[in-house]
Amino acid sequence: MSAVIDAVVGPIVEPVVESVVVRIKKHAGYIISSTKYVEDMRKEKQKLKDLYDGVEGHGKHNRVNHLVVPPEVTTWLENAKNIIAQVDGSDIKAGSCFNFKNRRAVGSKACKMTMAIKELIDQRKNLTWFDDPIPLGIINPTVASTSAPPSSGHSEYPSRKCTFTSALEALGPDHDSSMVALWGMGGVGKSTMVEDLKKAVEKRGWFQLIVDVAVGEDMNIITLQGHVADYVCKSLEETGEKARAEKLRVSFEEHSKDKNIKNILVILDNVWESFDLKHIGLDPLPKEGDEGARFKFLLTSRDNNVCNMMGFNKKISVFKLECLENSESQRLFRQLVRDPDDADLDSELQAIGDDIANGCQGLPIAIDTIARFLKGKRKDVWEDSFTRLKNHDPYAIVNNVFKLSYENLKDPEVEAILLLCGVFPKDTDIPIEDLLRYGWGLNLFNKVNSITEARKRLSTCIERLAEVNFLSASHHAAFYSMHDLVRAFVLDMLSKGEHASIVNHGNMSEWPSDDTGNLCTRISVTSTNRFEFPTGVKFPNLSFFKVMQGDGYFEFPQNFYEGMGKLKVIGFERMKDPLLPTSFPCSSNIRVLCLHQCSLNFDYSSIGNLKNLEVLSFANSRIGNQPSTIGNLTKLKILDLRGCFNILIDDDILRKLVNLEELYMMPFYGDVISFTDKICNGLADISKNLTTLEIVFRGRNSQPKKLSIEKLERFTIYMGHDYSNVNQHGNTLKLATCTDDILESSINELFGKTETLYLQVNDMNFLEDVMVKSPHIAIYNSQFSNLKVLKVSYCSELGYLFTFNVATTLSKLEHLEISYCKKMETLIHIDIGEERTIVFPKLKVLSLDGLPELSGHLFNEQVVIPMLEKLDIRLMKNLKEIWPCQSTGAEEINVSLLREITVVQCDSLVNLFPENPMKLLHHLENLTIYSCDSLPVLFNIDLDCLGKTEQLCSSLRSIHVSFSRNLREIWSIKGENDVSFIIGGDQVLKISIQECINFKRVTYATTFFYFKPLMDLQVRRFSPAKEINVNVMFPSYLTPISNHLVNISLTYSDEVDVVFEFESPSSQKSVKAQNTQPLILLPIHLKKLKLTCMRRMSRVWKCNWTEFLILQKQPQECSFHDLTTISLEDCRNIKYLFSPLMAELLPNLSTVEIKDCDGMEEVVSSRDDGEMTTSMHARNPLLPRLDLLKLCGMRSLERIDGGATRGVRNDISDKYSQVGAVSWSLCQYPREIRISKCDALPCVVPFYAFTKMHQLQVLKIHSCESMMEVFESQGINNSGDGSTTYADERRDGGTSVTPRVKDIEVPQLSNLKEVDISDCGNLQYVFTFSTLESLSQLEALKIRNCEAMKVIVKDEDGQRTAASKAVFFPCLKSIELDNLTSLKGFFLEKNEFQWPILDDVSIRNCPKMTIFTFGQSTAKLYRLSEYTSSRVNYCIMVKVMTEN
């Protein structure tokens, strides 16, 4: 019975008892070890706190520098912060040893918290920092305003983020797409995203030239060519479309060859119809790669088909831009509809707003416009707007939104300006100046009495239109732009009622019906072909007439202006013979006449009859001698002669224009206006009323004498001989003259209003010499208070620029440039004992060039430049330090935003940065050093100057150093600080060291620096540091530096033995960052490796493969997996490139180019693989993506791989015949093989690769003197031992004997399309007969200058081929045989040859050739050329089949 009870109860009781015992032990442990649990918790908490500080600092650095903070990092920080607070906030003490209850509770709580802390510590190990820049198209939600509209075009939303990221990736230099296209409906935000992408690629420096043009619906090739020419041509004066395209092609080619331009981006925005890129000179593209820049295209369209047609012959990535989701629309609406300081919307308004946002159906332009309109409006207006938006399609919704906004402008002037914007061509910026002049002529501005008042009124109108999203700011301050949907709405308004207008900037083949003329108030047209205005049509109500000539021209009927009594504004652009009004009824009301880019090669004195003319503009026209009748225009307020050619002004014209308010006399670049005394006097007379003046005083007697400048508010005045185009910034003075001329002309009285000032005053000792003298100190010192740009050059007597008092008033100065002032010793003269600080709060650019006497430190504690972004220093021969070597702390506040430093030819410079440079690297992105021979190191760091918090924070992206002889290294370390790891190069993407002959290393051989994202390394002419008696460029312990390298280029070194040295993981001196995961061994991201003139290099890779590959479980993850291109040139000591085992690590290799490597004996060699060879390289297909194999000038090359070749007997050939052995050849993979000047190479394709040649398409062989056959397939003679031999007679009389395997497959060349062989003096034939069956794709065959060539096709094994076997070449189109002095025929057996599409046969200088083929040959020949110097009875027997 007891046994039964035990059997039943035992299994039940035992687990219960065991569980109870475990729980008792656990709680007893809490009591006994509570003190230990508490101590462990506090230790683990401190570990977590240290980790927290590090992660938080890294995150803060990323947020400040606009780098990605992974979302899991934010979650981890919150959890860590909470548990640290719990530990710090709880009073956990073990208490009395007899208080068991308290000890158990304390121990239990401490144990649980310790476990939670350890879990967070473990999670920290899984946090991965990529430190990638946040794409400029993505708003950082932690810093974005909650109310301001996202500047990035809403790219932070999920519906946009993926598209933006993918498009940006496709534009990257490592993506194979050559065209990226965005498509989607109008108003969805394509152009805005293009702007974001453009900013992003500019930020990354991916493109050195960006061509950005808007194409538009009414595409005009001539206009489009002109827009492209603005970026790539100095001028495009050709008139024909083809001539202009050719000019553009040449210009693009020149830019492509520019060594400073590696990548070019062409943006084609708003493409409505596909067009041939040859029209803009980009089809075909200039040569890319080493011979030229790489081109990429970015286009937008509403039509996906247009995108695909534009990229039909290119690798294109197409992305659809979808409308916003409802939640995104609501979020955007809320951001836009309220001000930053406003409270959140109440629940009712928010609900209505959500409905309105949803009603916009995800179109940003509709959401933007309606939100701007409803901002600050009452609830009933919101409800009414929602009612109007319901139940409409997207475009109808947009029109309703625009209509709502338009009706609520409630300002006739603003409405009128909006309608006036509609007369401008689509997809072009709207000039503010044209709006002013046209608006003035049409009397759109009420109660204004001057042009100045009209400008202010126009500014108000434009600001209002921008507020409601009808206009948006352009790239240029003088222009605004209008979305094409807004323009469509405006044109719809212009087609109705009192606003009826004719606006046509596209197809002028159709003219509106005859009754349109009576209603029409405005005409704005562009000719794209020949067009004749209809006769008999009258325009009695016409007030505005503007004609622009495209690639067509206009014909006007006689008396065209008859009956146009209300005409007020006439504008002609790009017209050779603009039609001017002469009839009195018309001319009496005309107020504005604009003739822009016109040729006035006729008598246009009739302009003087326009008595009421107030605005006359000849901008950029050829006008010659101005008729004196212009002096009759006494009501004229604006006279514009900007950019005109050959200006000749009558002496009395200016004097008569007594009401002139604005005068523009800035002629075409290099042209001169001759100022007589009478003209100068006339200018002085009218200057009393001038508010705007743009003029050039150049040449003798050209000085602004007696010029009244009190009323001038807008001006650009050049005075002196140095007239050149400059980038203006508001009111501009450029004075290249002497001090006396400046003082006598009183032009210095304008200093107080000047924003951009250029001074080239040779006799100026100090700036005070040209300042206006004033007894009032404050007024005297503040003469430059509005200055934004100051450029001072060639002031040979200038000792210093500013006094302390003047410098303190330059609060608006943004750009300071001083050059070629040979006596300048200091920028600011500070009296001894002066302790005040000078602050330049807005200075962003500082450029100093050619100041030999300037020495000392440029920056110190007394001069603070907190916003400086760009520092450019050149030709400062006495400058030794930019900052004091000893860190003072001033540099942090002095240049906290410094992004770019350029230093050129500063021969005495020994310290570039202070000993603690980390503070200067917070924002520094680009560092360029050229020809600074005294500089030994870029960053000379004293660790004792570093604090523990200064281990990071670098934004440095690129380092370029060239022609600096004494530069040894980038980083130099000294001191004994216990800092274990400094992330000094954690953002560096590119390092270029050129012609620095003593340069030793990229980084220091310690654990201090880690170039994690380094992608591009270029080193030319250097002397690397020696490691263990072998000069290794990348020893194994520094290999982590190259983890992210994409491009490596090494040039000119006589000391490097090995490029990459790899040890096994067990022996590697691993470099680990503090609190980071172990680093990867190999540069897994490397794509391009270029080695040039590495004269001593014996190996590219050095590794113990046996140990290395055995230890690597997944070699593809730690190999050169991404390497696509290997290029070697003039590396004389290397014997081979890589081994079969190395080939396993190159699965993406596409290009191998080797040139002038005289010592190379074979490209692939097994000599260092040992016993691993046969066991390893059958594991994976080798080099599956190899596209090009190019070998040139290889004097010692005897074989391409290490297999059996002529004259060689080794064990490898035996291995190939063994059962189960796998043979391979480098030749079996490429699509194209090019071999030239390899005089020792006897053949190209070894016999063991014959059956694997399916990928080969192009084969080109040139100047290989020892080559006796292309495919290793000579006659086979069986011998008794089962092997075969062949004897071949060479041109030099010698013979060579090679072992052969008994059965050999014939070459399989099923994709071979082109064969081109020349200058191979020992080559006797090309193919064997058995090979011909596989040549089904052969299109072109070209053989030249092969003296020993007897036949093109050789019969098999010296035996007769069956004559019944026909040969068929289905794709062969052309055959060229040239200078083959031994050639007897193409094939000498009697087989029939059929070439159905062969249409071009050329045979030259083949004196021994008497027959082409003995068998019948059938072809359809359109061209047969035969030139020979010897007697030939009949060299070709061809039956020509002609078409019926």
Side-chain angles (χ1 to χ4, degrees), residues 1016-1287:
D1016 194 344
L1017 175 63
Q1018 300 178 10
V1019 187
R1020 178 185 177 90
R1021 205 179 296 276
F1022 60 102
S1023 303
K1026 183 172 289 189
E1027 309 288 348
I1028 318 176
N1029 298 322
V1030 178
N1031 286 343
V1032 180
M1033 188 65 195
F1034 293 99
S1036 55
Y1037 61 85
L1038 288 183
T1039 303
I1041 297 168
S1042 62
N1043 272 349
H1044 290 73
L1045 274 172
V1046 174
N1047 302 312
I1048 294 179
S1049 176
L1050 305 178
T1051 308
Y1052 284 110
S1053 176
D1054 293 333
E1055 300 185 29
V1056 171
D1057 291 309
V1058 177
V1059 179
F1060 298 103
E1061 177 192 56
F1062 301 118
E1063 299 177 6
S1064 65
S1066 60
S1067 61
Q1068 185 197 28
K1069 302 174 185 177
S1070 180
V1071 182
K1072 295 183 180 180
Q1074 186 177 5
N1075 301 322
T1076 62
Q1077 303 176 34
L1079 300 172
I1080 303 171
L1081 283 175
L1082 301 178
I1084 60 175
H1085 299 292
L1086 184 64
K1087 290 194 173 184
K1088 295 182 180 180
L1089 175 62
K1090 184 175 183 179
L1091 306 172
T1092 306
C1093 296
M1094 307 288 285
R1095 306 284 173 78
R1096 180 174 166 176
M1097 182 182 68
S1098 60
R1099 296 184 187 179
V1100 178
W1101 294 275
K1102 180 184 178 183
C1103 181
N1104 184 333
W1105 290 108
T1106 303
E1107 181 181 3
F1108 183 84
L1109 290 177
I1110 289 175
L1111 290 172
Q1112 298 302 304
K1113 295 180 180 180
Q1114 294 179 317
Q1116 67 274 13
E1117 294 181 2
C1118 59
S1119 67
F1120 290 79
H1121 182 272
D1122 290 343
L1123 187 63
T1124 62
T1125 303
I1126 299 176
S1127 176
L1128 270 66
E1129 182 175 353
D1130 199 12
C1131 300
R1132 301 175 181 177
N1133 199 42
I1134 190 169
K1135 301 297 182 183
Y1136 70 96
L1137 178 56
F1138 51 71
S1139 68
L1141 293 179
M1142 186 65 217
E1144 289 210 25
L1145 303 181
L1146 306 174
N1148 288 300
L1149 186 65
S1150 63
T1151 301
V1152 175
E1153 297 186 7
I1154 309 175
K1155 182 180 180 182
D1156 297 333
C1157 296
D1158 293 345
M1160 185 170 288
E1161 298 173 355
E1162 49 192 345
V1163 181
V1164 180
S1165 175
S1166 305
R1167 64 183 71 183
D1168 293 319
D1169 284 356
E1171 296 299 322
M1172 298 296 293
T1173 303
T1174 56
S1175 63
M1176 293 299 294
H1177 66 245
R1179 183 171 59 191
N1180 295 311
L1182 303 179
L1183 308 178
R1185 292 180 173 83
L1186 188 61
D1187 185 70
L1188 173 64
L1189 174 62
K1190 186 176 181 180
L1191 309 175
C1192 177
M1194 315 275 283
R1195 295 180 181 179
S1196 301
L1197 188 70
E1198 296 182 354
R1199 61 191 67 86
I1200 294 177
D1201 347 278
T1205 73
R1206 175 164 314 160
V1208 177
R1209 180 75 172 106
N1210 55 32
D1211 294 334
I1212 295 178
S1213 60
D1214 291 339
K1215 291 179 182 179
Y1216 290 127
S1217 63
Q1218 295 172 3
V1219 177
V1222 178
S1223 62
W1224 72 282
S1225 167
L1226 187 63
C1227 297
Q1228 72 193 50
Y1229 298 108
R1231 181 191 60 84
E1232 181 174 355
I1233 296 177
R1234 296 186 181 189
I1235 300 177
S1236 61
K1237 300 180 181 178
C1238 296
D1239 293 338
L1241 187 66
C1243 72
V1244 179
V1245 182
F1247 64 90
Y1248 46 83
F1250 282 179
T1251 60
K1252 305 169 185 177
M1253 300 297 296
H1254 301 285
Q1255 297 188 87
L1256 185 63
Q1257 295 182 23
V1258 178
L1259 177 61
K1260 297 186 177 183
I1261 307 170
H1262 304 292
S1263 302
C1264 296
E1265 280 297 319
S1266 295
M1267 185 165 294
M1268 301 183 66
E1269 53 186 352
V1270 179
F1271 305 95
E1272 195 178 25
S1273 57
Q1274 295 259 0
I1276 300 175
N1277 298 311
N1278 294 333
S1279 60
D1281 60 0
S1283 67
T1284 61
T1285 62
Y1286 73 89

Side-chain angles (χ1 to χ4, degrees), residues 792-851:
V792 180
S793 62
Y794 294 100
C795 298
S796 58
E797 300 299 322
L798 190 64
Y800 63 84
L801 191 57
F802 305 120
T803 61
F804 183 91
N805 291 329
V806 171
T808 56
T809 66
L810 301 174
S811 59
K812 297 181 180 180
L813 188 64
E814 298 177 6
H815 185 119
L816 176 59
E817 184 176 315
I818 308 170
S819 58
Y820 302 105
C821 300
K822 61 183 181 181
K823 292 186 178 181
M824 178 173 284
E825 297 179 357
T826 183
L827 298 182
I828 303 171
H829 177 69
I830 301 177
D831 293 331
I832 297 175
E834 180 63 65
E835 296 182 354
R836 289 181 297 169
T837 300
I838 301 171
V839 180
F840 295 95
K842 293 187 177 182
L843 186 61
K844 297 179 179 180
V845 178
L846 176 60
S847 176
L848 305 174
D849 188 0
L851 309 178

Side-chain angles (χ1 to χ4, degrees), residues 947-965:
K948 290 187 178 181
T949 61
E950 298 172 315
Q951 302 178 22
L952 39 92
C953 297
S954 167
S955 298
L956 192 59
R957 299 291 183 88
S958 68
I959 300 174
H960 297 263
V961 188
S962 55
F963 295 96
S964 298
R965 297 181 180 180

